[in-house]
Amino acid sequence: MTDRRLTGLSRSVIEGLVSELRPRWRAQHRDRLAPRIRRRRIGAGARHRFGFVDRLLATLVHLRHRLTHDVIAAWFGVHRSTISRSIAEIRALLAERGCRVRDGVRLRTLSDVVAHLGRHPQALMDATEVRVRRPVAGRAGRDRFVSGKARLNTMKAPGSL
């Protein structure tokens, strides 16, 4: 799974991300569990079958290849909702680390993307397309909602990493 063709990152970079982000993820996970009324102490019970490293790799593959959550879930042998939750958690950690495109920056052409990445080498891009209902006939700009890649009626998700 740490093949550079899958994630776009070398093994040493992934190891660095794991060592840097794992403590933050664990603290975040503990903080999420702490306010609940509990029968057992935090940490008791079954361990995650889909651990932090798997979550990080799934997120990196998703960001690199734009695979759907269903495909990644089948690949890792977990449910789609686990992948969706994992990607949301890890993307937030990557954004805290500084791997994001600043709000308000619009990269319209490939040359804009290359120039931006030259100035900000840690930037990650999110080009998620969300499926939408087909706009009514006669609506101005109706053609904007057709994705050439997915061949569906979609629109770009608001927000980027």
Side-chain angles (χ1 to χ4, degrees):
M1 283 303 287
T2 56
D3 187 350
R4 188 181 197 113
R5 289 174 292 183
L6 293 174
T7 62
L9 302 173
S10 67
R11 183 180 207 99
S12 62
V13 171
I14 292 173
E15 289 170 357
L17 282 173
V18 168
S19 64
E20 183 180 341
L21 297 178
R22 183 183 286 171
R24 290 186 195 173
W25 179 77
R26 284 185 177 156
Q28 195 178 56
H29 183 65
R30 242 187 335 269
D31 293 345
R32 198 170 41 249
L33 294 176
R36 295 190 209 166
I37 297 172
R38 310 194 61 82
R39 289 184 173 176
R40 299 182 287 194
R41 65 182 169 80
I42 294 175
R47 300 284 175 236
H48 288 290
R49 282 187 239 147
F50 193 63
F52 175 76
V53 176
D54 294 330
R55 291 168 192 259
L56 178 64
L57 290 173
T59 303
L60 293 174
V61 168
H62 173 71
L63 290 171
R64 175 138 173 111
H65 297 287
R66 308 305 324 152
L67 295 174
T68 64
H69 294 187
D70 292 321
V71 170
I72 298 172
W75 197 10
F76 280 93
V78 295
H79 194 268
R80 180 191 48 77
S81 64
T82 302
I83 295 294
S84 298
R85 188 173 50 253
S86 299
I87 289 173
E89 291 172 359
I90 301 302
R91 284 181 60 177
L93 290 174
L94 288 170
E96 285 175 15
R97 184 181 182 271
C99 299
R100 61 174 294 153
V101 174
R102 303 284 179 240
D103 293 334
V105 174
R106 296 287 304 210
L107 306 174
R108 298 181 190 275
T109 65
L110 182 59
S111 60
D112 292 343
V113 172
V114 171
H116 180 77
L117 291 175
R119 291 187 306 270
H120 309 284
Q122 289 185 330
L124 294 177
M125 309 250 343
D126 177 17
T128 304
E129 291 183 338
V130 178
R131 195 168 181 183
V132 296
R133 288 184 162 199
R134 185 181 176 116
V136 296
R139 178 179 174 180
R142 181 178 183 192
D143 294 339
R144 289 183 311 163
F145 293 97
V146 177
S147 167
K149 180 179 177 183
R151 303 210 187 278
L152 299 168
N153 292 300
T154 63
M155 62 185 284
K156 295 289 183 193
S160 56
L161 221 187

